[in-house]
Amino acid sequence: MQRQRFLFAALGLLTLWRWALLPTLELAPDEALAVFRVKHGEWGGFFEIGPLMTLSARLGTWMGGMNETGVRLLAPLLALGASLLIWRLARELHDEQIAGWAVVTVNVLPAFNVAAVTLTPAIFVCVLVPAAALWVCRAQWQAAPGRRDWHAAVACVGAAALAQPPACAAMVAVLLVLVLPGRLPHLLSHSGFRAVLVAWSAVLMCWMVWQGVHGWPSLAGGQWVPEWRLLPNLLRWILLVSPLLLVFFVMAVRAACTGAVVKSRRGLSVAMLLPLAVADFFYGPRECWPAMGGMVWMLFAALLLAHQSVVARVAVIEQKISLRTVALGLAALQSAFLLQTDLPRTLGLRWPFEADRGTASSGVRSLSRDPSRTMRGWRESARVVSAVLKQAGGEGGWFVLASDWALAVELDYYLSGAEAVQWPERDLRAFAGRSALFVTEDRDAPSVPEALKERFQRVELLTVARVMHAGNEVRWLKIFACHDYRTPDL
């Protein structure tokens, strides 16, 4: 009991530390997109992120202000909720000792620590999927299951689909069907489980309608194509899990599959973990850092590892403690490394950025690329664009047109509303007759894309800028002046 009290106190201190980290990292593209949608009143959109992200960003900025802390205000609380849900699920399936070790393992995972200080779909999925598993588990195994358990599962599935459609919605549906194989006919005969499927289907239908109306942007972006290159996928897992813990995860799954009865209640972790891990391995690389919603399988792997490490009798107790300490310590150090990738540079170690990749293979690029590059250099980029606007003498009469949505929403946030920022796929009819600064990160772009160039009377290159951060180049901007925008129908 004393250990459990210490664990809960440590979770409270860890939550405070995460709150202190919130303003130290610039917004990631997904976070900036949520703020962009709040500013423009686009509450029901399913572009890249779901409506739940937008609502959470609005609530956070209302309580904490329009800054990095306000946008991410709820993330540490959601991480705390995910930890408590894992503890509750582990205690439901095993006991308090295993529950405690599962929580410790989850909170040293690099991927979980990154999700805990950023408002991305990952942190919502880490709460909602374990919650859905917990309520479905209770509804299946209680002697007299109440309707509240199924209602809670319905809410979790619907919210997960609203947080990260459509991939997570599909994974949740597959998981709930695969939970404890052999019980599917019984579950389908239960009105509560049918309500879960209806909730998932309703949200997925809303996503499909929205995608159809807007020309299926997810299909155009290639999100449905899996990443078949095994080496980059494996390196990504080593980065997000920590190499020693990843080995132990594989060993724990192997032991559970050969020694445990998957149809039993304690086989829930395996039934939840395997389909999620397969989906994340092939589709996870398609997600931008730090939006790692597929990493939720690691939570169930931590639960499984905690059970195996406590009940395994192969190693003597001293060896088990030593291995556990080394694995958790290495994962904790890797978490700190990923949260502050400026740390090695302050020690005099140069990080090879993606811009310096040259002709290296994809595997080398995955290993050498700065993982948090998408969260670096946006503030400096906005200063460059602001300076160019002043030199062009177009303040108030110009708008900024970025080459893609990620660059656009970041500039929109860090320019603080000084100029309107859009990207080509948006409706630009309101800007007819105005001039624009076209900003791209493609250093090989000779000019503005032809389809966009035809909409302007004249286009000229203004400047090329290298954006530096901690003495290293993080971005390369090309800025063009585009005069007199004309709508396509003119």
Side-chain angles (χ1 to χ4, degrees):
M1 182 61 68
Q2 295 298 327
R3 290 182 178 181
Q4 299 300 319
R5 291 178 180 176
F6 175 79
L7 176 65
F8 295 138
L11 286 176
L13 294 175
L14 184 59
T15 302
L16 295 177
W17 175 71
R18 286 168 175 161
W19 262 322
L21 283 177
L22 298 185
T24 65
L25 296 172
E26 297 178 24
L27 293 187
D30 280 354
E31 297 174 299
L33 178 59
V35 177
F36 183 90
R37 286 170 54 177
V38 169
K39 291 169 61 176
H40 292 270
E42 300 173 1
W43 301 98
F46 284 89
F47 177 72
E48 295 296 333
I49 58 174
L52 188 58
M53 280 275 296
T54 307
L55 294 173
S56 300
R58 178 66 185 93
L59 179 60
T61 53
W62 177 69
M63 294 187 296
M66 186 60 72
N67 49 54
E68 285 88 350
T69 300
V71 174
R72 302 164 169 156
L73 191 64
L74 300 181
L77 282 178
L78 292 170
L80 176 62
S83 301
L84 296 177
L85 281 168
I86 288 295
W87 184 88
R88 181 70 179 270
L89 181 60
R91 192 187 69 168
E92 190 92 6
L93 298 176
H94 306 291
D95 56 42
E96 289 190 353
Q97 182 184 9
I98 295 175
W101 282 115
V103 170
V104 171
T105 304
V106 164
N107 281 276
V108 299
L109 288 172
F112 184 77
N113 278 296
V114 172
V117 294
T118 53
L119 188 72
T120 61
I123 192 60
F124 292 96
V125 174
C126 286
V127 174
L128 295 169
V129 173
L134 174 64
W135 294 118
V136 170
C137 178
R138 294 188 60 178
Q140 289 184 77
W141 292 98
Q142 283 182 347
R147 296 178 62 88
R148 290 183 300 177
D149 296 331
W150 285 113
H151 291 166
V154 169
C156 291
V157 171
L162 290 174
Q164 193 182 41
C168 186
M171 284 190 285
V172 171
V174 171
L175 287 171
L176 292 178
V177 171
L178 293 179
V179 165
L180 307 182
R183 297 181 57 84
L184 182 58
H186 170 72
L187 289 174
L188 289 176
S189 65
H190 199 287
S191 60
F193 187 76
R194 292 199 299 270
V196 172
L197 296 180
V198 169
W200 169 77
S201 302
V203 178
L204 191 61
M205 184 61 66
C206 292
W207 175 85
M208 294 178 67
V209 170
W210 188 92
Q211 290 283 329
V213 171
H214 292 82
W216 292 94
S218 294
L219 292 180
Q223 296 297 318
W224 291 98
V225 181
E227 175 57 72
W228 296 112
R229 295 176 298 176
L230 299 183
L231 181 58
N233 296 359
L234 183 59
L235 290 175
R236 172 179 171 272
W237 270 11
I238 292 174
L239 185 71
L240 299 181
V241 184
S242 180
L244 198 53
L245 274 182
L246 182 59
V247 173
F248 288 157
F249 281 177
V250 173
M251 294 173 61
V253 172
R254 181 180 178 183
C257 290
T258 57
V261 181
V262 178
K263 292 184 179 181
S264 69
R265 186 176 186 181
R266 294 188 175 184
L268 173 67
S269 302
V270 181
M272 296 290 285
L273 185 155
L274 292 179
L276 272 178
V278 171
D280 180 57
F281 189 78
F282 291 105
Y283 286 94
R286 295 294 183 186
E287 298 178 339
C288 297
W289 178 274
M292 304 166 294
M295 52 77 65
V296 67
W297 68 269
M298 302 178 194
L299 276 62
F300 296 99
L303 194 158
L304 187 63
L305 177 60
H307 174 258
Q308 292 295 324
S309 63
V310 171
V311 303
R313 304 297 181 186
V314 177
V316 297
I317 187 64
E318 291 82 3
Q319 293 175 339
K320 289 170 62 176
I321 294 176
S322 299
L323 288 173
R324 181 187 297 160
T325 303
V326 171
L328 296 181
L330 178 61
L333 288 175
Q334 191 170 335
S335 295
F337 181 78
L338 290 184
L339 289 173
Q340 287 293 340
T341 51
D342 280 340
L343 180 61
R345 290 195 290 272
T346 60
L347 299 177
L349 302 176
R350 177 178 170 81
W351 188 294
F353 281 87
E354 186 180 12
D356 304 323
R357 66 193 181 199
T359 58
S361 65
S362 60
V364 173
R365 290 200 303 268
S366 299
L367 185 61
S368 63
R369 181 173 53 197
D370 183 352
S372 68
R373 180 178 178 272
T374 57
M375 303 176 68
R376 303 287 179 182
W378 297 117
R379 188 178 285 109
E380 290 88 345
S381 299
R383 289 173 184 157
V384 170
V385 174
S386 179
V388 173
L389 275 171
K390 291 180 180 179
Q391 292 178 0
E395 292 185 359
W398 292 53
F399 69 101
V400 178
L401 190 60
S403 57
D404 55 71
W405 69 268
L407 179 58
V409 296
E410 293 285 1
L411 291 177
D412 181 80
Y413 178 80
Y414 285 106
L415 284 173
S416 302
E419 301 292 341
V421 183
Q422 299 290 330
W423 60 94
E425 289 75 19
R426 301 272 295 181
D427 185 2
L428 304 177
R429 287 176 295 181
F431 300 96
R434 296 178 61 180
S435 298
L437 287 186
F438 179 79
V439 186
T440 179
E441 289 192 272
D442 184 5
R443 64 176 63 202
D444 298 324
S447 181
V448 175
E450 287 299 326
L452 187 62
K453 190 175 183 179
E454 295 174 354
R455 304 186 192 181
F456 291 92
Q457 185 177 3
R458 182 167 55 91
V459 174
E460 59 180 333
L461 177 64
L462 285 183
T463 186
V464 176
R466 297 174 65 210
V467 179
M468 307 299 291
H469 181 80
N472 290 273
E473 177 189 315
V474 291
R475 310 218 168 266
W476 176 284
L477 300 180
K478 272 190 175 181
I479 304 178
F480 298 85
C482 305
H483 301 278
D484 189 17
Y485 176 74
R486 298 167 294 183
T487 55
D489 55 341
L490 293 181

